[in-house]
Amino acid sequence: DGGITQSPKYLFRKEGQNVTLSCEQNLNHDAMYWYRQDPGQGLRLIYYSQIVNDFQKGDIAEGYSVSREKKESFPLTVTSAQKNPTAFYLCASQNTGELFFGEGSRLTVL
Amino acid sequence: AQSVTQLGSHVSVSEGALVLLRCNYSSSVPPYLFWYVQYPNQGLQLLLKYTSAATLVKGINGFEAEFKKSETSFHLTKPSAHMSDAAEYFCAVLGGSNYKLTFGKGTLLTVNP
């Protein structure tokens, strides 16, 4: 079954700790995206990558980092510099404009 | 640059009633337009998309949307709401060469029995 797999689905961390969210796809798509979702604010773009070994900042990249060493994988690290990291994080890949989303990861910082 | 405005952050309808969720966009180039649905604690699922072919687009679960260039609108409708339609709906626009979608803030649809 082709799709986007995000893990973990739920994650709890203490303030000051870095956290890495996994995103894997087997759709053979070149472009991948990370969005952050907060209630009433829609989806905000964190980072995106249109090809392996290249990525671009989105609208709210501060406090986040990514890597794209393989076509299938686009992990997101939420660093301790992110002031308000508690949110729902969505990964997606893109084909002919359409986005295909994973099931999301909910991060709660205690 | 493109933008999306969804009118009404919360829409409530009775089961069997018409569903109308509004979306207006701005784009400097002919846009591609999308509607996505999100159920609680899940990712987004594509309902339908407009890619410059027919202006009336039919999607899954009985939803459809009409692209109206003169009104810069892409409203989502369903003739008869079902309880299972309760979810959050997002309109998105793709314009230009950067392949980034811009999303509206979403409309939460509640269906009352």
Side-chain angles (χ1 to χ4, degrees):
Chain A
D1 244 328
I4 312 285
T5 302
Q6 289 186 241
S7 63
K9 188 161 178 67
Y10 298 96
L11 187 59
F12 297 87
R13 279 295 182 266
K14 293 182 180 178
E15 252 185 63
Q17 289 183 327
N18 289 359
V19 167
T20 296
L21 306 180
S22 170
C23 178
E24 303 279 329
Q25 57 109 350
N26 60 6
L27 298 170
N28 200 34
H29 293 164
D30 286 316
M32 296 186 74
Y33 297 75
W34 274 105
Y35 289 89
R36 171 179 171 141
Q37 187 177 20
D38 298 282
Q41 296 200 43
L43 276 69
R44 293 183 290 168
L45 182 63
I46 305 172
Y47 268 98
Y48 65 102
S49 168
Q50 293 186 320
I51 199 165
V52 174
N53 293 321
D54 186 47
F55 48 83
Q56 309 294 330
K57 292 182 180 180
D59 302 316
I60 57 163
E62 185 175 348
Y64 299 98
S65 66
V66 294
S67 63
R68 187 85 188 276
E69 297 176 1
K70 298 185 301 181
K71 188 175 187 177
E72 301 79 20
S73 179
F74 191 41
L76 173 74
T77 297
V78 185
T79 75
S80 56
Q82 169 48 235
K83 296 194 185 329
N84 185 17
T86 294
F88 191 54
Y89 291 89
L90 286 161
C91 179
S93 68
Q94 187 177 43
N95 186 38
T96 59
E98 179 183 340
L99 288 177
F100 297 78
F101 285 88
E103 290 293 292
S105 293
R106 185 167 296 281
L107 172 64
T108 303
V109 175
L110 306 171
Chain B
Q2 56 262 23
S3 66
V4 175
T5 302
Q6 291 184 239
L7 297 174
S9 59
H10 188 192
V11 170
S12 183
V13 300
S14 298
E15 194 173 16
L18 171 72
V19 175
L20 171 60
L21 305 181
R22 300 177 187 274
C23 173
N24 288 88
Y25 71 91
S26 70
S27 176
S28 56
V29 298
Y32 283 13
L33 293 158
F34 303 82
W35 275 101
Y36 284 87
V37 60
Q38 184 181 35
Y39 299 98
N41 291 311
Q42 293 187 25
L44 277 69
Q45 177 185 2
L46 182 70
L47 272 180
L48 50 81
K49 61 183 176 183
Y50 167 77
T51 57
S52 75
T55 56
L56 182 63
V57 182
K58 293 189 185 300
I60 62 171
N61 301 338
F63 284 93
E64 62 181 38
E66 186 173 7
F67 172 69
K68 291 188 177 180
K69 184 178 178 180
S70 61
E71 299 177 9
T72 61
S73 69
F74 190 57
H75 301 332
L76 182 71
T77 60
K78 181 174 180 177
S80 176
H82 191 271
M83 297 295 288
S84 61
D85 295 326
E88 190 156 23
Y89 292 80
F90 292 93
C91 182
V93 62
L94 175 71
S97 60
N98 60 12
Y99 293 101
K100 288 191 294 179
L101 265 69
T102 300
F103 285 85
K105 292 190 183 300
T107 298
L108 182 65
L109 175 66
T110 302
V111 181
N112 303 307

